[in-house]
């Protein structure tokens, strides 16, 4: 597939601090690309460079065929950005905010009305248009933020932790809309997030640690490489259970009312269950997930950081 973003040996410094250190990756057209890392890993810096908000200190970047150094105005026309914090005016109404932002792209008259009608319908904003932005709930504000980023019909949508702090219902709604847009318009989505479940459908995941890429692949390949399946046994933590598991020479630990017994492959976990079913009154077989990937790759937990 065609690459819509190509990054080669990108470097960004803040004084003596290297925020992004010689990273290279590609993003395919119409794909969902996820960039993961704890706060300070270089995620937002990378997005800000790619979206022309920051000047890089080294490397080359091409976005939708435009060279970042020489053709940044073309990049600006083809992208939309949802920042961690809103850039809209709290005193203005939703409609005035959207109209003002649309004017930055030279949208006027009939075309402006069409675009505003599109995002209003898409994000169910009809009842919010006349309300001041500052009077909206957190979920309503996020819907408006994303609508603002899409008013110019971008080829690439940058989402910098777009659903942080949202209730589960609003998060689901936001992702349903983004999924539909990708299907209908071939939109490319570049995501950073703290919610690992939002990366499950990604076409590629890049993990940053201290400004460097430490892993890059599809979610399934990352899970196969960096996680192991385990059997979760709900039982008391006592010497009898410990002796039993140790006698089987298994890798296990006890946490939150259950034993977690790790296996290198699914067939081994299945064989353990088959051979010990009489001792397993309450259990479940669990696949390794992206939280496990992140922890095993970086040694850090992504949540609450």
């Amino acid at each position: 597939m065609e690459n819509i973003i190509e990054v080669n040996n990108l470097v960004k410094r803040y004084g003596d601090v290297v925020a992004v250190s010689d990273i290279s990756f590609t993003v395919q057209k119409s794909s969902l690309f996820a960039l993961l890392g704890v706060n300070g890993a270089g995620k937002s810096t990378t997005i800000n460079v790619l979206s022309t908000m920051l000047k890089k200190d080294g490397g080359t970047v091409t976005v939708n065929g435009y060279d970042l150094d020489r053709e940044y105005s073309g990049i600006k026309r083809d992208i939309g950005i949802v920042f961690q914090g809103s850039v809209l005016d709290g005193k203005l109404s939703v409609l005035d905010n959207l109209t003002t932002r649309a004017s930055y792209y030279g949208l006027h008259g009939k075309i402006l009305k069409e675009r505003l009608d599109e995002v209003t319908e898409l994000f169910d904003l009809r009842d919010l248009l006349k309300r001041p932005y500052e009077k909206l709930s957190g979920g309503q504000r996020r819907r408006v933020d994303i609508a603002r980023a899409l008013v110019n019909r971008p080829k690439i949508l940058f989402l910098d932790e777009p659903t942080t702090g949202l209730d589960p219902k609003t998060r689901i709604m936001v992702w349903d809309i983004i999924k539909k847009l990708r299907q209908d318009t071939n939109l490319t989505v570049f995501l950073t997030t703290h919610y690992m479940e939002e990366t499950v459908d990604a076409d590629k995941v890049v993990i940053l640690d201290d400004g460097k890429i430490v892993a890059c692949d599809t979610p399934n390949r990352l899970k196969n490489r960096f996680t192991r399946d385990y059997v979760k046994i709900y039982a008391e933590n006592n010497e009898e259970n410990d002796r039993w598991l140790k006698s089987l020479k298994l890798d296990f630990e006890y946490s939150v009312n259950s034993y977690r017994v790790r296996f290198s492959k699914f067939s081994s976990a299945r064989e353990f269950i088959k051979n010990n079913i009489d001792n397993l009154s309450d259990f479940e077989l669990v696949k390794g997930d992206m939280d496990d990937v992140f922890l095993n790759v970086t040694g850090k937990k992504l949540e609450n950081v």
Side-chain angles (χ1 to χ4, degrees):
M1 292 180 64
E2 178 185 355
N3 292 330
I4 197 168
I5 298 176
E6 296 184 354
V7 177
N8 295 291
N9 308 114
L10 177 63
V11 176
K12 177 59 187 178
R13 303 182 185 90
Y14 296 102
D16 295 331
V17 177
V18 181
V20 175
S21 179
D22 195 32
I23 67 172
S24 300
F25 60 86
T26 59
V27 179
Q28 292 183 335
K29 187 176 182 180
S30 305
S31 69
L32 171 58
F33 177 94
L35 186 65
L36 305 181
V38 299
N39 288 342
K43 307 186 307 297
S44 294
T45 295
T46 300
I47 280 186
N48 287 338
V49 169
L50 300 187
S51 60
T52 78
M53 303 292 291
L54 279 176
K55 288 187 177 181
K56 59 184 175 61
D57 294 307
T60 61
V61 175
T62 303
V63 179
N64 200 29
Y66 294 109
D67 181 86
L68 180 63
D69 293 327
R70 297 181 288 105
E71 302 168 301
Y72 58 86
S73 59
I75 294 175
K76 288 182 177 180
R77 289 194 301 269
D78 285 350
I79 64 175
I81 315 169
V82 178
F83 300 97
Q84 291 184 36
S86 179
V87 295
L88 297 181
D89 190 319
K91 301 298 182 183
L92 293 180
S93 69
V94 170
L95 179 59
D96 287 342
N97 267 300
L98 294 177
T99 301
T100 300
R101 296 291 162 171
S103 70
Y104 294 168
Y105 296 99
L107 302 178
H108 302 285
K110 182 180 179 180
I111 294 179
L112 171 61
K113 185 178 184 304
E114 288 177 355
R115 301 290 177 83
L116 292 179
D117 286 344
E118 283 179 10
V119 296
T120 296
E121 181 69 22
L122 193 61
F123 289 92
D124 192 21
L125 303 178
R126 189 70 60 188
D127 294 337
L128 307 179
L129 290 177
K130 295 182 180 180
R131 294 176 58 183
Y133 178 80
E134 65 181 5
K135 299 296 184 181
L136 304 181
S137 68
Q140 290 169 337
R141 290 185 186 185
R142 216 50 176 156
R143 283 155 53 193
V144 176
D145 290 337
I146 300 175
R148 183 269 309 160
L150 292 169
V151 75
N152 61 315
R153 290 183 185 166
K155 303 288 193 308
I156 305 166
L157 179 63
F158 289 99
L159 299 173
D160 196 2
E161 299 180 19
T163 59
T164 297
L166 297 185
D167 61 90
K169 181 179 179 180
T170 304
R171 284 176 59 199
I172 292 171
M173 185 204 71
V174 166
W175 278 108
D176 284 345
I177 293 171
I178 292 171
K179 182 178 180 180
K180 185 176 188 303
L181 280 170
R182 291 185 60 218
Q183 292 173 342
D184 295 346
T185 68
N186 293 321
L187 179 70
T188 302
V189 176
F190 190 113
L191 168 73
T192 76
T193 181
H194 282 169
Y195 298 109
M196 290 295 94
E197 64 268 27
E198 295 182 343
T199 70
V200 171
D201 294 327
D203 298 283
K204 182 187 291 186
V205 174
V206 165
I207 299 177
L208 287 181
D209 193 27
D210 293 329
K212 300 180 178 66
I213 292 178
V214 292
C216 175
D217 214 324
T218 64
N220 191 51
R221 288 174 181 166
L222 288 172
K223 286 187 286 186
N224 287 339
R225 181 180 177 186
F226 293 108
T227 72
R228 291 188 289 172
D229 300 329
Y230 61 92
V231 175
K232 197 170 188 179
I233 305 171
Y234 296 96
E236 292 184 7
N237 183 17
N238 56 42
E239 291 185 6
E240 180 180 355
N241 287 328
D242 286 351
R243 282 197 302 269
W244 168 56
L245 293 172
K246 287 178 181 178
S247 71
L248 298 176
K249 298 181 180 180
L250 295 174
D251 178 13
F252 70 91
E253 64 182 5
Y254 191 86
S255 178
V256 194
N257 301 317
S258 65
Y259 285 90
R260 179 168 168 159
V261 186
R262 301 182 184 86
F263 296 89
S264 59
K265 51 187 178 181
F266 177 79
S267 59
S268 298
R270 185 175 56 189
E271 190 70 14
F272 165 77
I273 293 172
K274 178 182 177 181
N275 294 336
N276 296 276
I277 193 65
D278 292 339
N279 295 321
L280 301 173
S281 59
D282 191 3
F283 70 95
E284 60 179 319
L285 178 58
V286 183
K287 296 286 290 182
D289 57 23
M290 288 302 295
D291 285 295
D292 295 325
V293 170
F294 190 87
L295 178 60
N296 291 330
V297 169
T298 67
K300 305 168 185 175
K301 290 187 176 182
L302 192 56
E303 59 187 10
N304 300 322
V305 291

